[in-house]
Amino acid sequence: MSKMPASKQQTVDLSSLSIQNLSSVKKQLDEELEHLTASFQKLRTAQAKFRECVKAIQNGVNPEVEGKTILIPLTQSLYVPGKLEDTNTVLVDVGTGYYVEKTTTKAIEFYNEKTKTVGSNLDDLEKIITQKTQNAKVVEDVLRQKVLAANSTSSTS
Amino acid sequence: MATVQQLSDEFADIQKKLQDVIEARQRLDAQYSENKAVQKEFATLDADANIYKLIGPTLIKQDKDEATMNVNKRLDFIEKEIKRIEGQIKDFSETSEKKKAEIMQIQMEQQGQAQPT
């Protein structure tokens, strides 16, 4: 689950750090940001999938389809005709290889709940990402100033 | 005394190991939260709910108690694994820090020797 960033716990004066230290801090922040944005994307896709499941149940599994012939995808491009035996219950993948039989209403509830949880995780993550981006920017600014200062007073020591 | 080359090889090796255990830790974290979610889901189910377990390509019907027990057992195991991996991470970071200090030390000495020219 999402963790709060470890920074901000102790305050370090950035201007007291050396160029080397600063650039490693910057690098670390960049790596964290990359990781977080990747997670953000993955959560987005997961959320979209849950929403799709809800839609699939609403459109595909209801009493209206009872008795009607539907096409069942065996692969992405191969379909066979079939009929739904039972339009009341569906099997839901709850994770780690377990499937639970649920009524369509319960299943929709389940997916909506999932969408909501993922949504709140997304919100948290977004906050962390903005915070981190800001941190990275500040570090970059200080780093640039340091480099400039070092260049203008070069050939010391 | 070890050369800088040897030390930095060792350092890189430790860094690699550290990276590996950190990845393992992240995988465990993911498994832990997935199992937690399943546990939560099971808790809300009726006692006579139909639960199936995917074994290979087949779904096998399973008792709710059995399934719940199974998930609890897995959670226990993952918790223990996380503790074990945590220890490894700590060990590796410590040795890595030590190696880094050693390298710095030698580099400083060499610079000190190279300076008077």
Side-chain angles (χ1 to χ4, degrees):
Chain A
M1 292 277 106
S2 49
K3 288 176 216 134
M4 282 309 283
S7 59
K8 280 270 157 189
Q9 274 169 359
Q10 66 197 80
T11 44
V12 177
D13 187 12
L14 282 176
S15 52
S16 70
L17 293 173
S18 70
I19 291 179
Q20 221 179 7
N21 281 336
L22 273 173
S23 57
S24 68
V25 169
K26 171 84 172 64
K27 205 177 134 223
Q28 203 188 334
L29 274 173
D30 281 345
E31 273 166 19
E32 276 174 42
L33 262 174
E34 205 176 300
H35 181 73
L36 289 174
T37 1
S39 309
F40 190 82
Q41 289 298 350
K42 275 188 216 150
L43 276 178
R44 264 275 164 75
T45 356
Q47 199 184 31
K49 262 187 203 152
F50 288 140
R51 288 213 177 104
E52 219 168 282
C53 287
V54 174
K55 249 190 233 156
I57 295 173
Q58 282 167 342
N59 297 333
V61 190
N62 55 43
E64 273 175 52
V65 234
E66 187 139 31
K68 283 183 196 158
T69 310
I70 56 169
L71 286 171
I72 300 144
L74 290 185
T75 72
Q76 289 203 346
S77 57
L78 178 66
Y79 298 81
V80 290
K83 272 191 190 112
L84 275 185
E85 280 262 289
D86 180 358
T87 55
N88 289 318
T89 52
V90 286
L91 268 182
V92 177
D93 181 357
V94 291
T96 68
Y98 281 110
Y99 289 72
V100 175
E101 197 171 85
K102 283 175 179 291
T103 62
T104 46
T105 23
K106 275 270 160 71
I108 290 172
E109 247 170 58
F110 171 83
Y111 284 123
N112 280 336
E113 190 54 43
K114 284 264 173 202
T115 319
K116 223 172 77 191
T117 329
V118 174
S120 72
N121 279 345
L122 274 170
D123 286 346
D124 289 349
L125 199 53
E126 201 181 346
K127 271 183 216 131
I128 295 173
I129 289 177
T130 3
Q131 173 76 47
K132 286 258 172 202
T133 322
Q134 219 158 22
N135 287 356
K137 218 184 268 163
V138 172
V139 172
E140 208 186 332
D141 278 348
V142 179
L143 181 61
R144 196 181 298 124
Q145 276 164 22
K146 282 253 167 178
V147 172
L148 282 177
N151 278 345
S152 60
T153 59
S154 62
S155 72
T156 32
S157 85
Chain B
M1 202 167 103
T3 62
V4 176
Q5 183 60 45
Q6 268 173 335
L7 276 175
S8 72
D9 281 352
E10 279 170 38
F11 179 69
D13 194 44
I14 294 166
Q15 284 283 302
K16 171 89 179 48
K17 281 183 188 151
L18 185 63
Q19 197 68 39
D20 285 349
V21 283
I22 288 174
E23 267 165 35
R25 168 72 227 260
Q26 281 167 349
R27 268 199 302 277
L28 281 172
D29 241 357
Q31 282 174 0
Y32 185 77
S33 44
E34 191 180 354
N35 276 287
K36 263 279 177 226
V38 176
Q39 190 187 41
K40 215 175 103 197
E41 181 57 30
F42 281 171
T44 63
L45 289 176
D46 299 330
D48 58 346
N50 286 329
I51 296 172
Y52 301 85
K53 192 179 191 316
L54 187 69
I55 300 171
T58 43
L59 285 173
I60 313 280
K61 193 161 175 182
Q62 230 184 13
D63 209 45
K64 194 199 162 194
D65 292 334
E66 205 186 324
T68 321
M69 230 170 58
N70 218 326
V71 172
N72 288 344
K73 220 162 48 195
R74 256 194 256 171
L75 277 169
D76 268 358
F77 174 76
I78 294 171
E79 264 165 47
K80 274 195 208 106
E81 275 293 288
I82 288 180
K83 274 207 195 98
R84 194 175 65 87
I85 294 277
E86 277 297 310
Q88 281 189 346
I89 291 179
K90 210 172 136 247
D91 284 353
F92 281 136
S93 346
E94 269 163 20
T95 28
S96 138
E97 279 303 313
K98 246 182 250 159
K99 279 269 177 277
K100 201 168 152 192
E102 258 177 78
I103 293 172
M104 296 264 260
Q105 175 91 38
I106 290 182
Q107 275 178 340
M108 290 255 272
E109 276 166 22
Q110 281 181 342
Q111 256 168 20
Q113 279 168 358
Q115 203 77 173
T117 32

